[in-house]
């Protein structure tokens, strides 16, 4: 008996587990809900700028709101680190833009994050590495994964590989390790997502991705996601799609379905000023910095948007009638 190679360190095994691209199923993460089953979380996107562009102001207000809401976790919709993700596991930008900014006690919860297009401009694999959790144990970022959190199931989806233009601009480098061949990656992801959505019996289904499906902000709608994702989301009664990418806050309703499109991409640089004309059913749009809160119970989901001063600038809710399970 003898090892052909030295036994792998457990961190190396973990690392391989996280980066190997082929899975039979999307990775599942369990988040133990509070005793009463309710779920409260904040959503922030497009933030990592070492505190600049009001990132610190937004972080302070998130901390205050986190205190009031007794958060279960925080969701990051991607573009975690500007301008080009992180360079590697030792890039000081991780601490300067994350650990040193979101310092409030109430934000010392698990952060569930996806990658944005700017993260793909750096070392995308580094952000996915569990080794970062030794620096800040709140950090959890995967390309796509399922979060089971009791009353709600969350489906975090890697949207950057869907967007055609990133594969067309030769001038910019993207870290596509683990993504190519692209067609296969997208096909597998859609298949895995569909399976997971069909299997889910949670009261609420929430899909999170970096790119907007519907947006009147700078980047506008993502045609690729309208074509690939919307049919799946509607067929499986997804309640809301939450994204960043456009540096604004918005609440858009679907015309013929209950599916909501919520943008929380105001974590730092904002005020782009170019709002698009659209036939979308726009309930709320704010071009500045801020974040979103979500509170979920069996029968109701409330969400609200806050600006950099912590003022609640929009809120809404969705209700579901109570089910009476046969006992
Ligand atoms: C910071 O926020 C304030 C209030 O919304 C805004 O007036 C100011 O322009 C923002 N600064 C930057 C750099 O975006
Ligand atoms: C590149 O752009 C062209 C024209 O906009 C488009 O037809 C083509 O599908 C794009 N290629 C990729 C790989 O997305």
């Amino acid at each position: 008996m003898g090892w052909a190679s030295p036994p792998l360190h457990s961190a190396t095994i973990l690392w391989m587990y996280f980066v190997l691209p082929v899975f039979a199923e999307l990775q599942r993460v369990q988040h133990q809900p509070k005793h009463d089953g309710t779920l409260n979380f904040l959503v922030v996107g497009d933030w990592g700028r070492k505190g600049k562009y009001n990132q610190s102001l937004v972080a302070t207000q998130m901390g205050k709101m986190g205190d009031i809401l007794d958060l279960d976790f925080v969701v990051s919709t991607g573009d975690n680190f500007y301008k080009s993700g992180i360079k590697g596991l030792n890039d000081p930008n991780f601490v300067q833009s994350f650990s040193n900014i979101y310092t409030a006690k109430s934000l010392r919860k698990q952060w569930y994050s996806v990658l944005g297009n700017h993260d793909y401009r750096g070392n995308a694999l580094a952000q996915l590495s569990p080794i970062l959790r030794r620096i800040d144990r709140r950090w959890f970022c995967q390309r796509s994964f399922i979060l089971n959190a009791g009353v709600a199931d969350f489906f975090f989806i890697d949207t950057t590989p869907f967007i055609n233009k990133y594969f067309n601009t030769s001038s910019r480098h993207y870290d596509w390790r683990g993504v190519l061949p692209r067609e296969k990656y997208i096909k597998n992801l859609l298949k895995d997502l569909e399976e997971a959505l069909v299997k889910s019996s949670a009261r609420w289904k929430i899909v999170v991705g970096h790119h907007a499906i519907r947006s009147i902000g700078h980047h506008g709608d993502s045609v690729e996601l309208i074509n690939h994702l919307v049919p799946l989301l509607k067929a499986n009664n997804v309640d809301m799609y939450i994204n960043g990418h456009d540096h604004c806050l918005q609440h858009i309703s679907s015309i013929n379905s209950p599916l909501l499109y919520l943008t929380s991409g105001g974590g730092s640089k904002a005020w782009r000023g170019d709002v698009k004309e659209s036939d979308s059913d726009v309930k709320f749009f704010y071009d500045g910095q801020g974040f979103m809160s979500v509170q979920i119970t069996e029968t109701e989901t409330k969400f609200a948007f806050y600006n950099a001063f912590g003022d609640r600038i929009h809120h809404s809710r969705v209700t579901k009638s109570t089910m009476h399970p046969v006992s």
Side-chain angles (χ1 to χ4, degrees):
M1 225 179 76
W3 294 89
S5 52
L8 291 169
H9 187 264
S10 62
T12 315
I13 295 170
L14 251 181
W15 163 255
M16 287 170 61
Y17 171 72
F18 275 96
V19 299
L20 285 177
V22 187
F23 288 108
E25 268 189 4
L26 288 178
Q27 187 195 346
R28 255 171 217 283
V29 179
Q30 309 287 334
H31 194 105
Q32 193 63 40
K34 287 194 275 279
H35 288 299
D36 64 1
T38 63
L39 211 54
N40 295 337
F41 60 97
L42 300 182
V43 185
V44 65
D46 305 82
W47 40 268
R49 296 183 195 264
K50 302 177 183 173
K52 291 192 205 117
Y53 295 98
N54 287 342
Q55 185 194 357
S56 296
L57 225 55
V58 174
T60 302
Q61 297 306 332
M62 285 172 65
K64 287 185 188 166
M65 197 46 62
D67 230 3
I68 294 168
L69 292 181
D70 184 16
L71 298 182
D72 292 278
F73 49 80
V74 178
V75 167
S76 164
T77 56
D79 277 4
N80 306 318
F81 301 98
Y82 285 96
K83 287 199 79 170
S84 305
I86 52 173
K87 293 188 188 76
L89 296 172
N90 298 319
D91 190 335
N93 195 8
F94 178 76
V95 169
Q96 290 164 350
S97 290
F98 178 56
S99 310
N100 290 356
I101 304 295
Y102 303 100
T103 51
K105 189 160 177 277
S106 67
L107 303 178
R108 283 186 219 147
K109 297 288 158 73
Q110 194 71 65
W111 281 52
Y112 294 109
S113 313
V114 287
L115 297 173
N117 50 304
H118 280 267
D119 299 311
Y120 267 106
R121 291 196 200 170
N123 184 337
L125 295 188
Q127 280 199 56
L128 308 178
S129 168
I131 292 168
L132 281 183
R133 306 183 70 174
R134 292 189 201 154
I135 303 170
D136 192 322
R137 65 193 185 92
R138 296 178 292 178
W139 189 249
F140 183 91
C141 182
Q142 292 295 289
R143 296 184 206 272
S144 301
F145 61 100
I146 303 164
L147 175 66
N148 301 125
V151 73
D153 278 348
F154 296 78
F155 306 83
F156 288 79
I157 298 302
D158 187 19
T159 55
T160 306
F162 284 86
I163 309 300
N164 288 333
K165 72 172 182 194
Y166 306 133
F167 294 84
N168 251 349
T169 42
S170 50
S171 58
R172 196 157 273 147
H173 174 263
Y174 290 92
D175 182 3
W176 296 132
R177 285 176 293 168
V179 171
L180 303 177
R182 182 186 175 212
E183 296 309 319
K184 188 173 168 206
Y185 182 87
I186 291 175
K187 193 165 154 253
N188 284 342
L189 176 50
L190 289 171
K191 186 174 128 288
D192 291 348
L193 173 63
E194 180 167 29
E195 272 174 29
L197 284 171
V198 168
K199 248 191 227 172
S200 168
S201 57
R203 192 89 168 112
W204 302 87
K205 295 184 200 183
I206 298 173
V207 176
V208 179
H210 176 65
H211 293 81
I213 295 178
R214 294 285 181 191
S215 171
I216 59 166
H218 174 69
H219 298 287
D221 296 346
S222 302
V223 179
E224 296 91 335
L225 300 184
I226 292 174
N227 293 338
H228 284 112
L229 280 187
V230 170
L232 277 184
L233 306 195
K234 288 192 173 171
N236 292 287
N237 306 313
V238 169
D239 298 285
M240 48 188 75
Y241 177 79
I242 300 177
N243 60 274
H245 196 50
D246 269 332
H247 300 172
C248 60
L249 307 172
Q250 37 181 353
H251 165 196
I252 297 179
S253 293
S254 297
I255 310 288
N256 296 316
S257 113
L259 177 62
L260 296 179
Y261 303 106
L262 305 176
T263 299
S264 185
S268 59
K269 197 175 186 180
W271 301 112
R272 190 82 186 225
D274 55 349
V275 183
K276 289 192 158 48
E277 291 287 323
S278 164
D279 50 11
S280 286
D281 184 7
V282 182
K283 305 291 191 201
F284 168 73
F285 176 85
Y286 178 68
D287 201 26
Q289 283 98 353
F291 62 98
M292 176 169 76
S293 70
V294 184
Q295 295 170 266
I296 307 183
T297 70
E298 276 285 316
T299 54
E300 182 185 54
T301 290
K302 292 194 281 191
F303 56 93
F305 292 96
Y306 307 84
N307 65 15
F309 304 110
D311 306 319
R312 191 177 71 167
I313 49 179
H314 176 72
H315 64 107
S316 184
R317 64 187 197 129
V318 185
T319 55
K320 286 189 186 188
S321 58
T322 324
M323 288 191 302
H324 297 284
V326 183
S327 52

